């Protein structure tokens, strides 16, 4: 499914229609998680034009981030911890300080690009491995923080300092040099394939994504069966 644009669109529109039939405003309540494959990004562009918000996930390369911005994605989710894991294994290095963390640096670069270019998509990193990554990305558009790290933050007496802002993006980093936009398919593939970390993480993550997708479908099916419609009550 992650590599089939039409099926991704059909699945998302089917979910939106199901919510609308039950009186839920899909435009404001639904944000579809979509894999940042080329096909997923094309589906995102079509869905956003139809008013269906998309959260582009499995974003591991700058090429993916640029293409997601071109597609008008509502949210773009870099995988901080998985990027760190890959670099630890690849370079046989156990520890990275937060300011050198490869996942943190990739997220900062994407945040910088979006805010320099006025991209409305929200950078929403996830897959955090420790509290230091969260602290280093404080001020990002939004963060998906796991419960254990949230508890650490609550228990910590050190103030949480703002690290990212429009000022940071516009003045503290040099202006990003980006490829001509929008990215063509060939240009996207060349840029993405040049990033070994991104290629491997996307391939492995898509398999896990498929397992989660099946679980979600089963869960939604159970909810739909258990939730009576107006006609059922009548």
């Amino acid at each position: 499914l992650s590599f089939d644009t039409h099926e991704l669109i059909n699945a998302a529109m089917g979910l939106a229609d199901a919510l609308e039939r039950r009186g839920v405003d899909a435009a404001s309540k639904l944000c579809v998680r979509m894999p940042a494959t080329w096909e997923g990004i094309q589906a995102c562009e079509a869905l956003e034009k139809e008013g269906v918000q998309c959260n582009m996930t499995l974003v591991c390369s700058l090429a993916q981030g640029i293409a997601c911005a071109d597609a008008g994605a509502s949210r773009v989710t870099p995988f901080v911890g998985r990027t760190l894991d890959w670099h630890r294994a690849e370079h046989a290095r156990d520890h990275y300080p937060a300011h050198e963390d490869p996942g943190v640096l990739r997220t900062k670069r994407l945040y910088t690009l979006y805010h320099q270019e006025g991209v409305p998509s929200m950078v929403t990193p996830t897959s955090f491995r420790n509290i230091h990554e969260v602290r280093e990305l404080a001020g990002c558009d939004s963060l998906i923080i796991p419960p254990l790290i949230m508890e650490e933050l609550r228990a910590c007496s050190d103030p949480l300092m703002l690290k990212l802002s429009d000022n940071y993006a516009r003045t503290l980093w040099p202006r990003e040099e980006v490829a001509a936009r929008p990215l063509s398919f060939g240009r996207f593939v060349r840029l993405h394939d040049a990033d070994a970390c991104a290629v491997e993480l996307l391939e492995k993550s898509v398999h896990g994504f498929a397992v989660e997708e099946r679980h979600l479908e089963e869960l939604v099916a159970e909810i739909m069966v258990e939730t009576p419609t107006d006609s059922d009550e009548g």
Side-chain angles (χ1 to χ4, degrees), residues 200-214:
E200 185 174 332
L201 287 180
L202 180 61
E203 181 179 348
K204 288 183 177 180
S205 297
V206 161
H207 293 295
F209 194 86
V211 173
E212 293 179 5
E213 177 193 350
R214 287 193 293 272

Side-chain angles (χ1 to χ4, degrees), residues 7-191:
E7 287 299 320
L8 286 168
I9 293 172
N10 289 339
M13 292 302 296
L15 181 57
D17 290 343
L19 292 173
E20 292 286 351
R21 288 196 300 272
R22 283 162 174 77
V24 178
D25 179 22
S28 62
K29 300 297 185 182
L30 176 65
C31 188
V32 180
R33 190 172 70 159
M34 191 76 62
T37 57
W38 177 257
E39 295 80 6
I41 294 168
Q42 302 314 297
C44 165
E45 183 172 11
L47 289 166
E48 291 282 357
K49 289 178 179 177
E50 293 295 325
V52 178
Q53 298 182 64
C54 295
N55 177 8
M56 301 307 294
T57 189
L58 310 182
V59 175
C60 307
S61 71
L62 186 63
Q64 289 173 291
I66 294 172
C68 289
D70 291 340
S74 295
R75 294 176 179 269
V76 178
T77 300
F79 275 39
V80 179
R82 293 192 193 186
T83 301
L84 173 63
D85 294 344
W86 188 90
H87 281 272
R88 279 174 170 169
E90 181 70 12
H91 303 293
R93 180 175 172 180
D94 290 336
H95 176 69
Y96 284 85
H99 67 279
E100 295 179 8
D101 185 309
V104 168
L105 293 179
R106 284 177 181 237
T107 302
K108 285 184 175 181
R109 188 179 182 192
L110 189 61
Y111 175 91
T112 299
L113 171 64
Y114 280 17
H115 282 254
Q116 286 178 348
E117 296 291 323
V119 174
S121 306
M122 296 180 66
V123 179
T124 309
T126 188
S127 176
F128 291 104
R129 293 293 179 261
N130 55 68
I131 191 174
H132 308 294
E133 291 176 327
V134 173
R135 286 183 166 278
E136 197 64 26
L137 292 173
C140 197
D141 299 324
S142 63
L143 302 169
I144 302 175
I145 304 174
L148 288 178
I149 294 181
M150 284 294 295
E151 290 302 320
E152 284 188 68
L153 287 168
R154 289 194 184 98
C156 184
S157 59
D158 295 334
L160 186 62
M161 305 299 294
L162 184 70
K163 291 296 185 79
L164 301 184
S165 65
D166 280 341
N167 183 64
Y168 168 90
R170 292 170 182 166
T171 64
L172 298 186
W173 275 49
R175 193 164 187 84
E176 280 283 356
E177 294 294 330
V178 300
R181 295 174 56 194
L183 286 183
S184 66
F185 171 69
R187 185 80 171 145
F188 171 83
V189 170
R190 286 193 296 274
L191 289 173

